[in-house]
Amino acid sequence: MTMSIRWSILGIVCVLIALQPLLAQYDDFPGPYCADNRYGGCCNSRQDTCAVPISTTLCYCDEFCNRTTNSDCCPDYQEICLGILPPDPILGCHHNGIYFTQFDAPIKDNCNLCRCQPNGQTLCDRDICLVDEHLLRTINSGYNGWRATNYTEFWGRKFSDGLDLRLGTFEPTYPVKAMTRLTNRRGELPQSFDARDQWPGFVTHVVDQGWCGSSWAVSTTSVASDRYAILSKGREVVQLAPQQLLSCVRKQRGCNGGHLDVAWNYLRRIGLANEECYPYEASRSKCRVHRGADLVSLKCQLPSKVPRQHFYQMGPAYSLNNETDIMAEIQRSGPVQATIRVYRDFFSYSGGIYRHSQSESEKGGFHSVRLVGWGEEQEGYSVTKYWIAANSWGTWWGENGYFRILRGSNECEIENYVLASWADVFTKQKASGQTFARRRF
């Protein structure tokens, strides 16, 4: 009897297979199965009549269906016959074309992590990113005099990362703000000037400070290096080591920032080795300079054109008074150091004459750069004056590492605190080394 029923069921299956093209419109037979009243009382023992069509085969609603791991029970067998409710469906999330669930790792949307919630909604962090598409569109859609781009180095980073790790100059202290400012004798100043053209090979290349708030050290050593080459007339062309400042100046915070006056004071009292001798690490490592150290004790390669053994020192730093004083100083002695307030849009600068384009209420941070020259550019019916400045974010940024910024209007406070210093270049009178004996720790 049982076998005949089974053969009858198989016959039904054959019919269903033949009718499959006609049944395809019913969306894979959604049921009900065991819940159908026609199959009532099928849950107990083995009952071959409790077979229900499903797709191209049969499923069963009796206890025998659950006898192996490869069961042929109907989808609702456990719920109808055993009282086991099905688990809640797992709701997935879609975000920026990506599908994921609450059990998957969070996905990244620029600088923010996004997590899938049990209700199928996506919840993302709401940190301000260093650069985003809205910012780029805002800058490039209007005429600001400059262009913005999306740098791979900055995409995915928070704005706070940029402030903490791409700047690094503290707001000038009261002694710096109160410093007596030098006024240069004003001669005839050209419409444009570039220290790179005036002293070829003497202006140091643009470096990348990395994700280390060390602009206080990098800009100081870059200006000092330029002035050594220029004031020595090429006898002492050197790239001084910002790493020595990061590691050895106790009153500073290494990659977490520093004061410019403290850096210049260290160069005046102690001096620096060259970059090859004290390579940049973008971190605050243990200081290698001890009392009485010099280029020889640090095993540095000594310069070939002068018999220098002592560190490279600078005279006292001085502040410059205004636009024309800054121009005269650059023309006479080389690049100077400027403090600039950096806003979020500055990170996206790729060319043109920069001026801050966002709300003045936006948070910013202090940065220090080199001013190497100036110029003018025709914009419509007016002439726009600008400074030429070297940044410390590598040559991939801006105009090969440089940027131009409005001149004469104190844009982003760039004309507020401009410092310079004279290099203590080697002369025949200093050959005895007595001049360098004033170093102290």
Side-chain angles (χ1 to χ4, degrees):
M1 180 67 178
T2 301
M3 289 298 296
S4 62
I5 294 175
R6 290 288 186 181
W7 281 111
S8 298
I9 293 172
L10 288 175
I12 295 173
V13 171
C14 293
V15 174
L16 290 173
I17 294 174
L19 294 175
Q20 180 62 27
L22 296 176
L23 297 173
Q25 59 181 315
Y26 294 106
D27 296 327
D28 295 328
F29 305 96
Y33 305 103
C34 299
D36 195 322
N37 292 332
R38 292 177 295 173
Y39 305 102
C42 284
C43 292
N44 299 321
S45 68
R46 174 174 178 174
Q47 302 182 51
D48 294 336
T49 56
C50 295
V52 185
I54 179 171
S55 187
T56 60
T57 184
L58 297 173
C59 65
Y60 295 88
C61 296
D62 60 358
E63 290 180 347
F64 192 67
C65 73
N66 203 27
R67 67 193 184 280
T68 64
T69 55
N70 297 321
S71 68
D72 51 6
C73 298
C74 292
D76 58 353
Y77 169 76
Q78 289 191 338
E79 179 182 2
I80 300 302
C81 295
L82 303 182
I84 301 175
L85 296 177
D88 293 333
I90 298 175
L91 299 178
C93 298
H94 288 272
H95 187 73
N96 289 346
I98 300 175
Y99 175 82
F100 65 117
T101 71
Q102 59 182 305
F103 303 106
D104 296 322
I107 64 172
K108 199 168 185 182
D109 183 355
N110 197 344
C111 71
N112 291 304
L113 289 178
C114 298
R115 301 166 181 84
C116 183
Q117 303 302 302
N119 62 1
Q121 293 185 343
T122 302
L123 184 63
C124 297
D125 298 337
R126 303 189 67 178
D127 290 308
I128 300 175
C129 298
L130 193 54
V131 61
D132 58 49
E133 294 177 355
H134 174 72
L135 175 67
L136 297 176
R137 284 195 303 268
T138 301
I139 296 171
N140 292 328
S141 61
Y143 180 74
N144 296 305
W146 61 282
R147 303 174 301 281
T149 193
N150 178 12
Y151 292 109
T152 303
E153 185 76 12
F154 293 155
W155 186 266
R157 286 281 191 166
K158 299 176 182 178
F159 181 39
S160 58
D161 292 338
L163 294 178
D164 295 339
L165 302 176
R166 274 292 177 175
L167 306 183
T169 298
F170 293 152
E171 183 176 2
T173 58
Y174 176 77
V176 174
K177 293 180 178 180
M179 184 184 296
T180 300
R181 303 199 173 196
L182 176 67
T183 299
N184 282 308
R185 183 178 299 174
R186 300 181 184 179
E188 186 70 24
L189 293 171
Q191 288 186 339
S192 63
F193 180 86
D194 194 328
R196 295 169 294 179
D197 298 329
Q198 180 70 20
W199 297 288
F202 289 177
V203 177
T204 53
H205 62 276
V206 170
V207 300
D208 189 347
Q209 68 185 68
W211 292 97
C212 168
S214 59
S215 67
W216 65 273
V218 173
S219 63
T220 299
T221 54
S222 296
V223 169
S225 300
D226 294 346
R227 293 196 154 219
Y228 254 98
I230 292 168
L231 296 178
S232 70
K233 298 181 179 180
R235 294 192 307 274
E236 296 194 83
V237 179
V238 61
Q239 173 64 62
L240 299 180
Q243 186 60 45
Q244 185 176 342
L245 290 177
L246 281 178
S247 299
C248 301
V249 183
R250 299 175 183 176
K251 294 181 180 180
Q252 307 284 58
R253 297 182 186 176
C255 284
N256 295 317
H259 291 287
L260 299 183
D261 57 324
V262 177
W264 284 110
N265 193 40
Y266 183 92
L267 264 77
R268 180 183 64 83
R269 294 186 303 109
I270 299 172
L272 294 177
N274 56 304
E275 169 68 20
E276 294 81 3
C277 184
Y278 212 136
Y280 186 64
E281 301 174 16
S283 64
R284 189 172 191 175
S285 56
K286 183 178 179 181
C287 180
R288 294 166 42 202
V289 176
H290 305 288
R291 183 181 296 274
D294 57 16
L295 297 177
V296 176
S297 64
L298 255 64
K299 300 181 180 180
C300 304
Q301 183 175 353
L302 300 179
S304 59
K305 295 184 179 180
V306 297
R308 174 184 290 277
Q309 295 185 357
H310 298 287
F311 287 144
Y312 297 88
Q313 294 175 273
M314 300 292 291
Y318 50 89
S319 179
L320 298 166
N321 190 36
N322 56 36
E323 175 191 358
T324 54
D325 290 330
I326 297 169
M327 295 164 66
E329 179 71 19
I330 295 173
Q331 184 183 37
R332 182 184 67 178
S333 305
V336 297
Q337 183 183 50
T339 298
I340 177 175
R341 185 183 288 275
V342 169
Y343 298 95
R344 191 165 72 108
D345 61 348
F346 182 73
F347 289 91
S348 302
Y349 170 89
S350 65
I353 301 174
Y354 174 80
R355 65 270 276 170
H356 177 42
S357 62
Q358 300 298 301
S359 169
E360 290 300 326
S361 62
E362 182 187 52
K363 180 184 177 183
F366 285 101
H367 188 44
S368 50
V369 298
R370 277 184 296 163
L371 297 183
V372 302
W374 65 86
E376 297 179 358
E377 185 172 287
Q378 190 77 29
E379 291 186 339
Y381 295 101
S382 61
V383 174
T384 301
K385 301 187 303 180
Y386 60 83
W387 296 110
I388 305 171
N391 201 356
S392 52
W393 294 346
T395 55
W396 53 265
W397 181 89
E399 297 178 330
N400 296 316
Y402 289 82
F403 67 97
R404 289 175 290 159
I405 186 171
L406 287 179
R407 170 168 60 95
S409 57
N410 198 27
E411 178 67 29
C412 296
E413 304 176 32
I414 197 168
E415 293 158 13
N416 268 0
Y417 309 109
V418 180
L419 302 178
S421 176
W422 280 70
D424 197 358
V425 298
F426 195 94
T427 63
K428 291 182 180 179
Q429 289 76 16
K430 296 179 181 180
S432 64
Q434 294 178 357
T435 304
F436 299 95
R438 54 191 163 95
R439 298 186 339 285
R440 63 182 182 276
F441 287 77

